[in-house]
Amino acid sequence: MKRESAQKTALERVKHLFSEAEKAFRRDPKLADRYVHMARKIAMKANLKIPRNLQKKFCKHCYRFLVPGVNCRVRTKEQKLIYYCKHCKRYMRFPLK
Ligand SMILES: [Zn+2]
């Protein structure tokens, strides 16, 4: 029970950090990356899985905040979403439902 509420709080904080990252990105992409870093730490500590819609907002290889058309490329192929990170030049795949 206690753990559940801790996870809920952590999730709220993670969501908040991602929305802050989104706002910060335009003027300071490095700050956005820091928000991602903080969000990941919170999630890890609470043993929380970052929701799927937020997983697409950062690179799982270099953990940078990603904005399609700016620092990442998005395509779909065979029912999958493919994200290409321009920083580390690696791909992430997400199944499309
Ligand atoms: Zn990357």
Side-chain angles (χ1 to χ4, degrees):
M1 204 58 183
K2 212 180 157 191
R3 204 174 139 204
E4 252 171 56
S5 76
Q7 282 198 329
K8 218 174 155 191
T9 314
L11 179 63
E12 287 311 310
R13 289 176 71 194
V14 166
K15 280 185 188 164
H16 177 73
L17 283 167
F18 272 96
S19 75
E20 287 301 310
E22 215 144 323
K23 279 185 252 171
F25 184 81
R26 227 174 276 213
R27 54 191 162 84
D28 190 354
K30 281 209 175 93
L31 181 62
D33 294 342
R34 269 214 300 278
Y35 282 129
V36 170
H37 183 80
M38 279 153 68
R40 284 186 62 242
K41 267 181 116 169
I42 290 166
M44 249 187 275
K45 229 176 149 181
N47 212 355
L48 175 86
K49 208 167 170 266
I50 291 176
R52 220 203 247 196
N53 64 319
L54 295 181
Q55 274 177 27
K56 288 180 187 144
K57 292 184 185 290
F58 67 93
C59 174
K60 69 170 183 181
H61 306 291
C62 67
Y63 307 117
R64 287 187 201 236
F65 189 72
L66 295 180
V67 178
V70 179
N71 58 359
C72 86
R73 221 167 51 208
V74 183
R75 321 181 271 141
T76 52
K77 193 190 173 194
E78 288 155 12
Q79 301 297 305
K80 284 187 189 81
L81 259 180
I82 314 219
Y83 276 55
Y84 171 73
C85 171
K86 288 187 186 173
H87 294 290
C88 64
K89 307 197 171 10
R90 289 165 87 174
Y91 295 92
M92 293 191 291
R93 289 170 185 81
F94 301 99
L96 278 176
K97 257 199 243 164

